[in-house]
Structure formats: C-alpha cells, structure tokens
Amino acid sequence: MELTDTGSKNPAGIRLTLLVTGILCLKTVIICFVGFKLPVQSFFDVVLILTGSIGSLLLVMGFSFYFGEKVNRFVLFGFMVLGTGILYGDLLYYRFYNDFVSAPILFQFANVGGLGASTVELMSPWDVFLFLDLPLIAWLLLRTKDGLTVPKGIKRKYVAFGVALIVLTVSLGLVKSVHLFSDSYDREQVVKSLGPLNYHVYDIVLGLAAPLQRLTMTETKAHASIEYLQQEDPGRTELFGIAEGKNIVFISLESMQDFVINQQVNGEEVTPFLNELIKESFYFNQVYDQTAQGKTSDAEFMVDTSLYPLASGSVFVRRPDNTFHSLPHILQEEGDYYAATFHGNVDTFWNRDVMYESLGYDRFFSKDDYTVTEANSVNYGLKDIPFFKQSATFMQNLPEPYYAKFLTLTNHFPFLLEEDDLFIDPADTEEDVVNRYITTVRYLDESLETFFATLKEEGMYEDTIFVLAGDHYGISEKYEDGLNELLGTEATVESGMKHQQIPLIIHIPGQTGETISTPGGAIDIRPTLLHLMGINAENRYAFGYNLFTRDSAHPVIFRDGSFISDDHVYKDNICYSKETGAVIDEEACGPDLETVRKELKLSDKIIFGDLLRFVVEEE
Ligand code: GP9
Ligand code: MN
C-alpha cells in the first residue's frame, strides 16, 4: 500500500520514462529532418514526422517497468542506448546508400560484407551531438532513487496511451497515402509516415511473413497471376535473328554510368575504346539502372530473368532455390547453348555459387580458377586486365555455341588504383570519389580494349555477339555534387535521373553503328538480345521489352516505385512534368502509377511465391 502511494504521489519513475522517451523522440525527429532529409511536401508531412515515433517509443520504454513494480533504470538506459545506436546505424547506412536499412540486407552482409572500411568515412564530427545526452541521462537516472514505483493503474493508462498513439500514427499514415502498406517497397514513405522504429518493426514482420507466400501459392493462382506477362507479339524488325547461332559474350561493366561515354576530362576521353566501339554497335543511350539493394546481383538477375529485383535484399541471397526461366535456360532450349560465367571474386559473394545453379549456368569460373596475387588484384579482387587475359584462355575450351558472362570488378567503390594502372589523370572536382572514378572507368575501358584484341587474335571475335552493360551507378547520390561539378550540370530531379542511366552497347562484328534513344531499363536487355538471336521473347514470363520496338509510353519502373515515362517523372512521391521539370498534380502520374504497382507487386509475387515452379516445369 505504502509503495503504491509513494508511486502516485511522487511518480519520478514515470516522469523519467517520459523524459527519456521524449529525448529519443526528439533525436529521431532531428535525424528524420537533418539526416534523412525526408522530403516535406505539406504541413501534414511535418505532423507525420513529428508524431510518428512517439507511440512505439513509449511502449518500448515501458518495458523498463512492465514486469516489475518499479522502473528499472538500467533497462531504461539500455533502451535509450539501443535506440540511439539504431538511429545512428540507420544514419550511416542512409549516408552511403541513400536508403533505409532493411532486415534482409543485414543477413546479406554475411555474403557480401557491410559498409566495411568506408564506415569511418561516413562519420561526421557533428555525430557526437547524438550521444551527448547519454551521460546526462545516466547521471539523472543514478541520482533518482525514490518514486520509481509505477502503480498498476498508471501502467494500464500508459500502455493504452501508447497503443492509441500508434493507432493514430497508422491512421494518419493511411490518410496521407492509402497505398502505405501495399507500396511497402517505398521505404521513404513508410519511414516518413510511421517513423524509423515502426519502419523496422514493419520490415521485420514483412521479412518473417515472406515465406508464407510460397506455401500458399497454388498452380491455379500461379497461372492466373502470370497472365499479365503473356505479352502480345510486338512484331519483328528486320534485325530479328541477325545474330542467330552466334556465341554471346555479355560483359557487366561494374559501376559504369552512361555519362562517361564520349566524356572528356582534362581534354582526354574517359572511354576511348567504347567511344570507338559504339560507332560500330547498337548504342542504347537511355537505359536506366533499375537495381535495388542487391547491386550487381540485381543487375545480373534482371539480365538473366527480365524480372524486377526485390525491394529489399538480393534475390540471389533471399530466393536462390527458386525455379527460374532464365537466359541460360532459354538459350539451352533453343540453341543448345553452353552457359559460363566469369568473375575474379570469391564464388560465395552474392551467393553466386548457389544462385548460378538455379539460373542454369554450366560453369562458374571464380577466384579459385584464376591466378590471383597481391600484385594483380585491387579492392574486391582480380584487376580487370589480368581478369580478361586469363578468362580468354578458359574460353578456348568452352563448348560452342556459348553464352559467356563476364563480371568486371576494378571500377568499384571506392575506386582504388595503383599508379601503374593510371591511364588518365584523376579529375579535379571537390569530390575525391568522383576524381578517382574517372581513373577506374578509364582502366575498365583499357581492359575491354585488351580483351577485344585478344579475342580477335585468338579467332573468338568474328562469330560472337557482344553485349556490354553498366550494372548500376558508381557515383551515389551522396557524391552527386562532385558529379554535377564535373559535368557542369545543375542538381535537379532531371539531372539526377539522367545520372541513373547506364550504357548498353550491343556489338555484332561487321555492323554499322546506330544510336537508339528509346527509354528502357536493365530488364529490357534480355528481350532485346533474344530478338537479335532470332528467339521469340514473348511468353517468357518477363517484364522487359525488346528495345528496338519498346513503346516509350510504357513507364521505366524503379524498385522504389518511382518511374519515368514519356511525359512524366515520378520520384519521392512527387509527380513532375518531364518536359519542364515542374511539379504537377499527382493525378497526372496516376495511370502510370497503376502500372508501376501492378508490375512490382506481380514480380514480387513471382519471386516470393516461387511461382514459376508451376509454370515452367510443366513444359
Ligand atoms: C563483387 C561485385 C561487386 O563480386 O559483384 O558487387 P557490388 O557491390 O557492385 O554489388
Ligand atoms: Mn556492381
């Protein structure tokens, strides 16, 4: 009785809990505005950001007294430290990836490593302010010894208040966007509406629920879902089959963005070899990077399957045992092709050793197959010049016709190179990452020249179709200022989108060059290649279109729900006129948004439901 009285007369425990929760809330709001720079379009957005975290933080902090009569000050402090730590982790991740960390990506680090050496570079002296309150709170908690008891009635009210706030938060979020939960791939929207902590909880629940989709998928449902992908034949061009029966060499150009093509730095070309090559190739200069957290593996996935990657984590890591209808499978069926893949890194990176089997590759030449020394490697592994040199010898023994995929590596963040490998001076912008990027792109270009020369010498050039494609951006948004400085461009939504373009070059020896400016994305590479190979690209359970006939009115869709179409650009939930760059009414983007939602959801369903096992196997 006495204890209860003490609690209600002097509720220091509850006051402390509210204070600590309030401070953590404040830190969360500051990180949302300053760290994540969440875009604010209306006052409603401000309300969402200010209120989103309170309810759940209250409930979490309540664990310091739910199971005892008094507030456990150590538990309270522990949650404060944990909350601050999570916020800081989110901030560091955001600074590098411009994205919010998701649970699958944490598991992925086992396969690909985390932020690693670059973490220190992501820290700022200002970050110390995030932790300055902790000693003060510790001191306050230590000196508060009385009034820590929390009566049962107060506990009940506390929980009810917390739950009510969460219900309010979710309701406000749904008022702001009815698609809040169905568009869960739009992480920024979820964080803005629910706060970072609720986002993490929601993300974990989604991750745990994902396997259920496989269990509940049935053959009937699979056939009904896949109907959308039974595209009508878009017609053939005179190019259909011009590369029929040829060997295919696909080269993934690590981190290469399209702006480097025909770009000069200090009076020198960054990609002299590619600039010459495109004069005798199909050069697609409006192809967009559509990768998400799976980076290179997402790019590979799109080229091989023409499906969208997952919104969080990599398909290679999350669903490597699925049934796929991939490029190696199609080529095998249609032309008895042998499929091999070459990469100078360890075979387990991105779970490739497992995934390549599901994708139908016959052979994976990885680090163990190459002679890799300290002298001939940099950053992630074997340098591109020795990589291609050694690969050419392996190629001699491939059964023909073959599909050979090469993943380059040297032009990878943080773009490291030794003096001997410099074929161009670094650029001189304020951003060292951009300056170094120019040198590693130039090195990659040099390696391609040596590779083509070797193939010509060895008689492996003439009867081959070459497909070269950038896998994803090299200069992330974090370094965008340096890129704008280099190119003399303004930081606009338009220029940001433009920087998302990757080069796609298809070269058939003896052809005349042609530049194709139809907008498209990485998912369109496979149908385009199949067209040239004389293989029907229709009814291949694919989202991509042949770029020679692609209807530019169909939006190019990005994994976060943004898109680019003939007339509109949609980014960060804002609709822009493509022509003027002006913000326009969201309704104008409505019809395209419908397509975006339909396609992204269906692609996820195919992957999480392992839907192709019902469709492909019966053939
Ligand atoms: C590593 C290479 C690079 O093997 O694929 O990976 P990334 O970080 O670009 O996904
Ligand atoms: Mn990559």
Side-chain angles (χ1 to χ4, degrees):
M1 193 59 201
E2 201 184 291
L3 277 176
T4 312
D5 286 349
T6 314
S8 50
K9 279 180 201 156
N10 177 20
I14 279 289
R15 279 205 310 266
L16 266 182
T17 311
L18 292 178
L19 177 74
V20 169
T21 308
I23 294 174
L24 192 53
C25 252
L26 188 68
K27 290 205 261 191
T28 309
V29 169
I30 292 172
I31 294 280
C32 282
F33 280 118
V34 183
F36 303 151
K37 297 189 182 72
L38 291 178
V40 173
Q41 290 143 253
S42 64
F43 182 67
F44 196 30
D45 284 344
V46 179
V47 174
L48 287 176
I49 295 170
L50 288 178
T51 56
S53 303
I54 306 176
S56 45
L57 283 179
L58 275 177
L59 288 188
V60 169
M61 291 300 182
F63 277 95
S64 62
F65 58 75
Y66 292 153
F67 304 110
E69 286 182 336
K70 291 181 175 184
V71 170
N72 183 323
R73 292 167 295 164
F74 295 101
V75 172
L76 190 58
F77 189 67
F79 278 124
M80 185 64 183
V81 173
L82 184 69
T84 306
I86 291 175
L87 269 183
Y88 193 47
D90 283 348
L91 182 64
L92 290 180
Y93 185 86
Y94 188 87
R95 279 188 187 149
F96 189 73
Y97 291 105
N98 244 320
D99 191 4
F100 301 94
V101 70
S102 66
I105 202 91
L106 292 177
F107 291 108
Q108 203 162 277
F109 284 163
N111 298 76
V112 289
L115 295 171
S118 51
T119 312
V120 178
E121 204 201 311
L122 298 172
M123 294 175 171
S124 148
W126 294 97
D127 297 350
V128 78
F129 284 100
L130 197 61
F131 301 92
L132 279 186
D133 58 318
L134 294 179
L136 274 167
I137 291 174
W139 173 77
L140 202 64
L141 288 172
L142 279 178
R143 68 186 278 275
T144 311
K145 294 196 172 73
D146 300 325
L148 291 171
T149 304
V150 185
K152 280 203 178 105
I154 298 214
K155 278 187 194 175
R156 272 196 294 273
K157 281 185 196 150
Y158 181 96
V159 172
F161 185 56
V163 171
L165 279 176
I166 289 183
V167 172
L168 183 73
T169 297
V170 173
S171 311
L172 286 178
L174 285 170
V175 170
K176 162 82 185 156
S177 167
V178 277
H179 299 288
L180 178 64
F181 294 113
S182 52
D183 291 359
S184 56
Y185 47 77
D186 186 350
R187 283 185 280 273
E188 187 172 89
Q189 166 141 297
V190 178
V191 172
K192 188 155 88 177
S193 304
L194 304 181
L197 182 66
N198 288 326
Y199 154 73
H200 284 305
V201 174
Y202 178 57
D203 171 60
I204 289 169
V205 171
L206 275 187
L208 293 175
L212 281 180
Q213 294 190 43
R214 190 181 193 280
L215 290 175
T216 53
M217 179 55 66
T218 63
E219 194 164 343
T220 322
K221 279 200 242 173
H223 281 281
S225 304
I226 216 79
E227 226 161 77
Y228 177 81
L229 295 182
Q230 310 302 304
Q231 298 163 8
E232 285 165 30
D233 187 341
R236 291 175 183 178
T237 70
E238 72 285 359
L239 300 170
F240 185 80
I242 60 167
E244 191 178 335
K246 284 185 184 292
N247 292 321
I248 302 168
V249 165
F250 177 87
I251 305 175
S252 165
L253 306 169
E254 177 58 46
S255 301
M256 193 184 276
Q257 291 170 237
D258 191 57
F259 76 84
V260 297
I261 303 292
N262 287 324
Q263 178 67 36
Q264 297 209 344
V265 170
N266 298 328
E268 284 185 62
E269 290 177 279
V270 184
T271 57
F273 172 71
L274 288 180
N275 297 348
E276 281 306 306
L277 187 75
I278 60 177
K279 291 180 185 158
E280 298 168 349
S281 308
F282 297 116
Y283 167 45
F284 301 85
N285 66 353
Q286 288 212 36
V287 173
Y288 290 85
D289 160 19
Q290 293 170 303
T291 60
Q293 292 177 330
K295 304 284 296 294
T296 311
S297 72
D298 281 353
E300 289 186 66
F301 181 70
M302 283 187 277
V303 171
D304 281 342
T305 66
S306 194
L307 297 173
Y308 292 100
L310 289 175
S312 54
S314 160
V315 189
F316 274 41
V317 178
R318 296 188 71 186
R319 286 294 177 275
D321 299 321
N322 273 12
T323 298
F324 295 105
H325 185 58
S326 73
L327 185 53
H329 293 135
I330 298 171
L331 292 169
Q332 221 280 321
E333 276 162 32
E334 301 287 332
D336 204 13
Y337 271 72
Y338 183 86
T341 166
F342 301 75
H343 188 42
N345 194 359
V346 289
D347 63 352
T348 50
F349 203 97
W350 283 128
N351 209 24
R352 286 185 174 108
D353 51 341
V354 183
M355 183 64 169
Y356 280 168
E357 289 210 9
S358 301
L359 290 174
Y361 284 94
D362 299 295
R363 178 75 161 90
F364 177 17
F365 294 90
S366 66
K367 192 171 184 176
D368 285 346
D369 296 282
Y370 292 88
T371 307
V372 182
T373 63
E374 210 170 301
N376 73 7
S377 50
V378 70
N379 205 357
Y380 276 96
L382 188 57
K383 291 181 200 170
D384 294 340
I385 291 178
F387 164 67
F388 279 128
K389 203 168 174 205
Q390 294 185 38
S391 299
T393 50
F394 300 141
M395 282 172 78
Q396 307 270 14
N397 303 319
L398 294 183
E400 293 189 61
Y402 56 74
Y403 160 47
K405 168 163 84 172
F406 299 85
L407 304 179
T408 59
L409 198 53
T410 309
N411 183 37
H412 193 286
F413 185 87
F415 313 115
L416 308 172
L417 216 52
E418 280 137 30
E419 197 73 22
D420 283 355
D421 296 316
L422 286 181
F423 296 97
I424 191 169
D425 287 334
D428 54 6
T429 71
E430 294 286 305
E431 199 57 81
D432 272 347
V433 165
V434 174
N435 301 343
R436 291 197 301 269
Y437 178 72
I438 295 304
T439 65
T440 46
V441 171
R442 176 65 186 85
Y443 175 87
L444 171 53
D445 184 79
E446 188 74 19
S447 75
L448 295 169
E449 181 162 14
T450 59
F451 187 42
F452 272 69
T454 311
L455 294 183
K456 280 179 185 169
E457 270 164 35
E458 305 293 334
M460 290 188 281
Y461 168 76
E462 284 301 327
D463 204 25
T464 300
I465 172 173
F466 295 87
V467 183
L468 291 79
D471 61 350
H472 50 74
Y473 67 83
I475 308 296
S476 75
E477 278 182 57
K478 177 174 158 55
Y479 306 106
E480 191 87 357
D481 287 349
L483 185 50
N484 281 314
E485 187 188 340
L486 181 83
L487 303 176
T489 44
E490 295 278 316
T492 59
V493 174
E494 217 182 357
S495 67
M497 279 290 192
K498 184 116 194 70
H499 297 161
Q500 248 176 285
Q501 290 173 351
I502 47 171
L504 170 63
I505 300 163
I506 300 185
H507 176 74
I508 303 168
Q511 77 171 110
T512 38
E514 189 183 336
T515 298
I516 296 116
S517 299
T518 311
I523 58 163
D524 300 315
I525 295 175
R526 188 181 89 174
T528 310
L529 172 64
L530 289 181
H531 189 72
L532 296 171
M533 301 304 293
I535 297 173
N536 277 331
E538 295 77 49
N539 301 332
R540 296 285 182 189
Y541 322 116
F543 286 94
Y545 291 91
N546 168 12
L547 284 166
F548 291 107
T549 54
R550 190 186 194 281
D551 179 359
S552 61
H554 189 84
V556 179
I557 300 172
F558 303 101
R559 200 43 263 211
D560 61 357
S562 54
F563 72 82
I564 197 156
S565 67
D566 257 354
D567 302 322
H568 307 115
V569 173
Y570 188 78
K571 194 167 165 45
D572 298 333
N573 296 296
I574 305 174
C575 184
Y576 299 89
S577 151
K578 193 172 171 194
E579 204 190 333
T580 63
V583 177
I584 53 172
D585 198 281
E586 162 112 13
E587 258 178 44
C589 284
D592 283 335
L593 265 177
E594 281 298 304
T595 310
V596 170
R597 291 197 174 104
K598 200 189 294 171
E599 295 209 354
L600 291 179
K601 261 170 234 164
L602 177 54
S603 187
D604 285 349
K605 198 172 186 180
I606 290 173
I607 296 167
F608 284 127
D610 190 6
L611 193 151
L612 295 183
R613 78 196 131 125
F614 297 111
V615 192
V616 176
E617 273 169 4
E618 68 183 31
E619 284 180 350

